[in-house]
Amino acid sequence: MISCTVSDKPLFKQSAKGFVFFVEEGTKFASHVEPLLQDQFPLFEKLVKERNFTGKKGSTFAFPFMHGKAIAYIILSGFGKKQGKHFTLETLREAVSRSIRCAENFKIESLAAHAADPKEFGQSIQYVLQKMSCISMKASYAFDEFITDKDSRTFKVESYTFVVDKKDLKDAQEGVRIGAIVADAINRARHWVDLPANMMTPHSFADNAKKVAKDHALKITVFTEDQIEKMGMGGLKAVGMGSQHDSHLVIVEYKTKKKNAPTLAFVGKGITFDSGGLNIKPTGYMEDMKDDMSGAAAVINAVAALSELKAEVNVIGLAALAENMVSGNANHPGDIITFYNGKTAIVGNTDAEGRLVLADALAYASKHYTPDAMLDVATLTGACVHAVGPFFSGLMTQDENLCSKIEAAAITSGDHVWRLPLTDDYKVMVKGDHTDLCNDGKTKYKAGATNGACFLSNFVGDTPWAHIDIAPSAFNVPDKPYFRTGIATGMGTHLLIDLALQWNK
Ligand code: BES
Ligand code: MN
Ligand code: ZN
């Protein structure tokens, strides 16, 4: 993993192989060139002009130069133009990530750059460094441990040094410390998602959660299938019936030292593989379904980070884990099940399994923790994928206060959300004919993502609650320089962390 550090030594005194400049469109790439490079600078300027690099958003330009007796590179990464007073955090995330991608292409293993100017972002130096280090680590993540020939693995940048003024050194270091904790949580969540279903079963997920809990001083409870059945969690039980692997409910708890702090409950969908069950998915729809535990991975790792960051809220994380498979023991379309809160549902479609496992976990969380707010994060519907595309997750809530807090955390974290409808009008669509509920909804209402949210709304009681459908953005997001094709994004992890950190603000 890339290591990020800060330094107050001049940029060209750094021992890096690549020197990065972030360039606002239409400006010269470095107005303060260190004396060391003054002789070469006119050449650079000419080159940049000739090659038409103007600092456009998304553009990079790299060229070699003599740094003392060694070859080094200048890497220019464009910020584009400011829309309004400040650059957005997304601009910073993309430009920093592009500098890393550029270095990877040239096989440059060490980078140094001036820290971005906090004034340009309307932020503190600490916050800017937090974002720069976090996104550097996020961009560096790859899933290549199963490529046995090490030379064929993704080239990785090993270090990124951010140069700051001496007076800012302490704040900058604190920013990097926080950024690294957040990025560790995100990348761990991604790794859990990237591990395929033969390696990441409900049981091995629980083992991973136990290790994380131990490392982050979290209380952890693991309910096994027998306990799940005894407690009356008919949804979690039913979904796992067709699998060789037992369903689990994992609960991690972080308690702040702060008095009278609010409690947040995060619930994650943890389907370690979604074949669809007897309503089996066709070819083309099943291949990526190891990612169906992305919500659970986000939740557990977010709580871990919040503990390390000593967040001033209590946080409970629940992971509802099961494997949705086909077998003689699998639940059938038409089965009637009873949930933890006593409500009943007909399983109209075994492929709408996410809401069944979440229902029990939500009911359990609202009953036992009476949280001030509850969020679930789930790869719940293909409909949401079609509604918002890969760059957003669907946000559904009837609580305006919670909604604005989540939207604020989405902007700071970069885990973008787009609100979809959830009103009482829609709730009739999940009514069962002979049961309280049906899990596939009445098709005349369309709105498949909202349908899922309506089902879940029956399990939250009076708790302020929001549902985040990360099906669009959890896996294989294209075009963003901090992701790579065919791997997990860790979506939701950073959102939950920022939501909790900013809760009291
Ligand atoms: N895990 C899927 C949803 C999904 C789709 C996640 C694409 C990631 C990418 C979920 O369990 C599912 O199968 N949903 C069904 C619900 C339907 C049967 C009501 C869907 O969206 O088709
Ligand atoms: Mn499904
Ligand atoms: Zn699913």
Side-chain angles (χ1 to χ4, degrees), residues 402-465:
L402 187 53
C403 182
S404 44
K405 280 187 146 67
I406 293 169
E407 285 178 334
I411 288 169
T412 56
S413 66
D415 287 356
H416 301 293
V417 298
W418 199 273
R419 197 174 184 184
L420 296 174
L422 175 61
T423 63
D424 290 346
D425 287 343
Y426 289 97
K427 290 182 182 169
V428 291
M429 74 172 138
V430 294
K431 285 248 168 303
D433 292 332
H434 312 290
T435 50
D436 300 335
L437 300 164
C438 65
N439 79 331
D440 56 347
K442 297 193 174 60
T443 49
K444 77 168 179 184
Y445 296 94
K446 321 278 191 223
T450 297
N451 186 329
C454 288
F455 188 90
L456 298 175
S457 72
N458 287 279
F459 300 89
V460 300
D462 296 327
T463 310
W465 158 77

Side-chain angles (χ1 to χ4, degrees), residues 127-417:
Y127 201 71
V128 165
L129 267 294
Q130 179 184 326
K131 293 297 162 188
M132 291 181 88
S133 60
C134 182
I135 205 65
S136 298
M137 295 174 72
K138 195 166 160 179
S140 301
Y141 172 88
F143 180 59
D144 57 5
E145 68 199 81
F146 296 103
I147 298 170
T148 54
D149 173 18
K150 292 207 162 108
D151 294 336
S152 303
R153 292 182 186 171
T154 313
F155 179 87
K156 307 213 182 52
V157 177
E158 284 157 20
S159 65
Y160 210 147
T161 307
F162 302 114
V163 174
V164 299
D165 288 347
K166 195 177 173 72
K167 67 169 177 23
D168 292 330
L169 202 55
K170 275 245 145 54
D171 288 346
Q173 275 160 348
E174 177 63 1
V176 168
R177 184 186 74 85
I178 297 169
I181 291 171
V182 175
D184 268 343
I186 297 169
N187 287 345
R188 200 175 328 102
R190 297 168 82 183
H191 188 237
W192 293 7
V193 175
D194 284 327
L195 288 173
N198 64 329
M199 298 179 178
M200 185 55 78
T201 63
H203 188 82
S204 56
F205 186 108
D207 283 346
N208 277 288
K210 277 182 195 162
K211 183 167 185 314
V212 163
K214 191 160 177 251
D215 294 347
H216 295 81
L218 300 173
K219 182 181 170 197
I220 181 162
T221 312
V222 178
F223 291 119
T224 57
E225 188 149 314
D226 299 341
Q227 294 165 299
I228 285 166
E229 190 173 0
K230 277 206 197 89
M231 290 191 291
M233 297 187 167
L236 197 44
K237 169 75 189 167
V239 172
M241 291 261 281
S243 171
Q244 301 280 4
H245 304 287
D246 281 0
S247 300
H248 287 64
L249 177 66
V250 171
I251 306 176
V252 292
E253 295 172 52
Y254 161 70
K255 247 189 149 21
T256 174
K257 294 209 166 71
K258 201 178 163 191
K259 294 250 154 53
N260 303 320
T263 297
L264 308 180
F266 300 153
V267 179
K269 171 175 173 181
I271 302 298
T272 56
F273 192 77
D274 182 12
S275 72
L278 286 173
N279 294 108
I280 195 164
K281 288 183 184 291
T283 299
Y285 292 83
M286 202 193 291
E287 288 74 5
D288 290 344
M289 282 301 134
K290 67 171 182 181
D291 77 347
D292 218 15
M293 36 60 76
S294 298
V299 161
I300 301 295
N301 288 297
V303 181
L306 287 165
S307 168
E308 211 171 331
L309 294 169
K310 301 193 167 67
E312 297 193 323
V313 286
N314 303 311
V315 195
I316 321 292
L318 297 92
L321 301 159
E323 192 189 39
N324 189 22
M325 295 297 281
V326 196
S327 90
N329 295 322
N331 66 331
H332 320 84
D335 282 1
I336 292 174
I337 56 182
T338 305
F339 295 98
Y340 187 71
N341 68 350
K343 289 196 181 172
T344 60
I346 186 162
V347 181
N349 189 321
T350 61
D351 199 10
E353 83 297 337
R355 61 201 73 183
L356 302 181
V357 302
L358 289 169
D360 283 325
L362 286 166
Y364 185 90
S366 57
K367 177 168 176 200
H368 290 270
Y369 298 101
T370 51
D372 295 273
M374 190 153 68
L375 261 81
D376 74 82
V377 182
T379 45
L380 208 70
T381 65
C384 193
V385 181
H386 286 270
V388 303
F391 306 120
F392 287 87
S393 303
L395 164 62
M396 283 148 271
T397 182
Q398 290 182 282
D399 189 295
E400 297 307 318
N401 176 40
L402 187 53
C403 182
S404 44
K405 280 187 146 67
I406 293 169
E407 285 178 334
I411 288 169
T412 56
S413 66
D415 287 356
H416 301 293
V417 298

Side-chain angles (χ1 to χ4, degrees), residues 31-166:
S31 25
H32 311 285
V33 192
E34 274 73 1
L36 190 63
L37 290 184
Q38 246 167 19
D39 51 334
Q40 302 182 58
F41 202 69
L43 174 70
F44 296 167
E45 291 274 63
K46 195 155 184 272
L47 182 65
V48 167
K49 202 165 178 190
E50 237 172 63
R51 296 290 289 275
N52 212 9
F53 176 88
T54 56
K56 275 203 174 55
K57 182 171 151 37
S59 64
T60 50
F61 180 43
F63 53 88
F65 72 106
M66 288 310 295
H67 189 219
K69 289 193 174 104
I71 297 174
Y73 289 81
I74 302 272
I75 297 174
L76 308 180
S77 184
F79 269 166
K81 283 204 172 86
K82 241 178 261 166
Q83 315 294 122
K85 231 173 106 189
H86 298 126
F87 284 117
T88 63
L89 290 173
E90 191 67 13
T91 302
L92 183 61
R93 283 189 282 261
E94 294 197 356
V96 172
S97 304
R98 284 212 167 80
S99 71
I100 291 175
R101 289 288 173 270
C102 189
E104 287 172 353
N105 290 339
F106 284 84
K107 298 206 171 2
I108 301 166
E109 70 271 3
S110 51
L111 293 176
H114 285 294
D117 180 356
K119 287 195 288 303
E120 299 273 26
F121 294 85
Q123 303 286 355
S124 67
I125 185 83
Q126 177 182 315
Y127 201 71
V128 165
L129 267 294
Q130 179 184 326
K131 293 297 162 188
M132 291 181 88
S133 60
C134 182
I135 205 65
S136 298
M137 295 174 72
K138 195 166 160 179
S140 301
Y141 172 88
F143 180 59
D144 57 5
E145 68 199 81
F146 296 103
I147 298 170
T148 54
D149 173 18
K150 292 207 162 108
D151 294 336
S152 303
R153 292 182 186 171
T154 313
F155 179 87
K156 307 213 182 52
V157 177
E158 284 157 20
S159 65
Y160 210 147
T161 307
F162 302 114
V163 174
V164 299
D165 288 347
K166 195 177 173 72

